[in-house]
Amino acid sequence: MLVAMARKTANDDPLAPVSLAVGQEDLLLDRAVREVVAAARAADADTDVRDLTPDQLQPGTLAELTSPSLFAERKVVVVRNAQDLSADTVKDVKNYLGAPAEEITLVLLHAGGAKGKGLLDAARKAGAREVACPKMTKPADRLAFVRAEFRTSGRSATPEACQTLVDAIGSDLRELAAAVSQLIADVEGTIDEAVVGRYYTGRAEASSFTVADRAVEGRAAEALEALRWSLATGVAPVLITSALAQGVRAIGKLSSARGGRPADLARELGMPPWKIDRVRQQMRGWTPDGVSVALRAVAEADAGVKGGGDDPEYALEKAVVIIARAARSRGR
C-alpha cells in the first residue's frame, strides 16, 4: 500500500539513494519505511535492512554500513529520529549525502522543526526524495486520510460512511487504518453509513456490550465481528465476559419475573425501563434451559480469559457462538 496522505517530491522513486520522511505521525513514518523496503526487496529478495536509532548510529557506523560489498548486495539503512543524531554523526551523514553508494538506500526519519534542521536542509539540498508525514490534528485531514485508505485499496465508501468512521474512532490514525482494513475484509460492495454504524458508531456500538447484545439476540456473525473489533481496539477480555454475563442474566431475570409495566419491572429487577424493553425483544427465542447453557458458557469463558485457558480469544468466540445458539433454542 502506498503512503496515504503523504506529499512527495518530484522524485517519487522509493529506490532513490536517499529518502527523507518528515513529520511526527508514526503510522505514516512506518509506511514510508515499509514502502522503501518493499521496493528494495522486489528488486532483490536478499536485501539487507538495517533499522537504527540515534544511539546505534555512532561516528563511523554509517561508513561501515555503506562500504562496498564483495557481493554487491542491496541494502536499506533506516535512521530513526535523525534530529537526535550527535554532531559528529550528522557530519558523517552530510558527507555521505554528497556521494551516496550504489545499491544502498538511506532513509532518514526526521520530526521536522528546528532541532536538527541543518541535516534536514542538507538532505533536501542533496535532492533527497521527501515524504511528508505530519500529525493529522484536524478532523478534515483525518477524513481525507480515511477516504484515501479506501481509495488506495480499490474500495468504495460513501462520504457519510467515512465521516461516521472518523466520528466513531477519533484521532488515532492506526485505529482508523485498522478500522478501514476490518471493513474491507468483512464487507462486500460499497461501504455505507449503516455498515459503519453497526460496527463502530460512538464506540458503544463496538464495545463489549455490543458483543453481548448481538449474542443474546442470536446474531452470531455480527457478535463475532463486534468481538474481533473490540479485542483489536484493546477492550479487555474480562469486560467482554462481564457484559455477556449481564446480558444472559438479564434474559433470565426478566423471563422469570411477573408481568407488568416496564417501570414496575425496572424497580423489581433493578434495571432502567429502556433496558426492560430491549431485553423483552431479545428474550423471544430463549428457554430456561438455554439460559442455563449460556451461563455455563460464560463461566467457562471467564475462567479461560483469567488464565484457565491458553487462548482467551477462542474462549470468547466459543461462548459467543453457544450463547447465540441458545438464543434460538425456543421452537427447536
Side-chain angles (χ1 to χ4, degrees):
M1 183 181 289
L2 294 178
V3 182
M5 301 301 296
R7 299 188 302 275
K8 300 178 182 179
T9 54
N11 177 11
D12 195 19
D13 180 7
L15 293 182
V18 181
S19 279
L20 183 63
V22 184
Q24 299 180 42
E25 181 51 65
D26 290 339
L27 174 67
L28 298 183
L29 291 167
D30 286 345
R31 285 186 175 182
V33 172
R34 288 203 303 270
E35 185 179 23
V36 172
V37 171
R41 286 184 169 155
D44 181 354
D46 295 325
T47 294
D48 181 22
V49 178
R50 303 297 180 90
D51 198 325
L52 306 169
T53 55
D55 61 304
Q56 294 173 311
L57 195 65
Q58 301 297 323
T61 303
L62 184 62
E64 294 175 10
L65 291 173
T66 57
S67 60
S69 167
L70 290 174
F71 304 102
E73 65 180 357
R74 182 176 290 278
K75 187 178 293 185
V76 175
V77 179
V78 179
V79 180
R80 296 185 182 270
N81 299 313
Q83 72 279 358
D84 295 330
L85 291 172
S86 68
D88 289 337
T89 303
V90 167
K91 290 179 182 177
D92 287 350
V93 176
K94 286 182 177 179
N95 289 335
Y96 178 81
L97 292 173
E102 293 185 8
E103 300 297 310
I104 292 177
T105 299
L106 175 65
V107 185
L108 299 173
L109 275 58
H110 195 292
K115 187 176 183 182
K117 190 174 184 298
L119 177 57
L120 197 59
D121 293 341
R124 286 168 171 161
K125 187 175 181 180
R129 167 185 178 263
E130 184 170 345
V131 180
C133 306
K135 277 286 186 186
M136 294 187 185
T137 57
K138 297 179 180 179
D141 291 339
R142 295 193 289 272
L143 179 60
F145 170 80
V146 167
R147 288 173 175 167
E149 289 288 284
F150 283 117
R151 186 170 57 249
T152 302
S153 298
R155 293 297 301 275
S156 176
T158 67
E160 294 80 9
C162 294
Q163 184 63 64
T164 299
L165 193 60
V166 171
D167 291 343
I169 301 301
S171 61
D172 191 306
L173 233 57
R174 288 190 188 277
E175 290 194 18
L176 283 168
V180 170
S181 296
Q182 176 97 42
L183 289 165
I184 289 171
D186 288 355
V187 180
E188 296 182 358
T190 299
I191 295 164
D192 59 20
E193 183 179 8
V195 170
V196 176
R198 191 172 73 240
Y199 274 68
Y200 309 118
T201 296
R203 282 303 178 91
E205 293 298 324
S207 72
S208 54
F209 291 102
T210 298
V211 179
D213 285 341
R214 299 297 87 82
V216 300
E217 291 163 3
R219 295 155 67 179
E222 293 178 31
L224 290 171
E225 289 171 356
L227 173 62
R228 287 199 300 271
W229 173 248
S230 293
L231 294 172
T233 55
V235 176
V238 292
L239 295 180
I240 299 173
T241 55
S242 175
L244 290 170
Q246 290 180 49
V248 175
R249 285 174 186 147
I251 297 287
K253 284 181 179 180
L254 192 56
S255 62
S256 61
R258 298 186 303 275
R261 296 178 305 170
D264 296 333
L265 288 171
R267 285 192 296 271
E268 180 183 343
L269 302 178
M271 299 180 191
W274 65 264
K275 189 168 184 179
I276 296 293
D277 291 334
R278 173 181 289 183
V279 176
R280 272 180 168 166
Q281 294 174 354
Q282 294 173 334
M283 64 184 284
R284 290 171 183 165
W286 285 87
T287 65
D289 286 344
V291 172
S292 297
V293 168
L295 286 173
R296 285 197 296 272
V298 172
E300 291 177 5
D302 191 54
V305 303
K306 291 179 178 176
D310 296 328
D311 191 341
E313 184 172 344
Y314 172 74
L316 288 168
E317 289 179 353
K318 181 180 177 182
V320 163
V321 170
I322 291 173
I323 292 168
R325 189 181 301 133
R328 300 190 302 272
S329 57
R330 188 181 298 279
R332 286 183 179 178

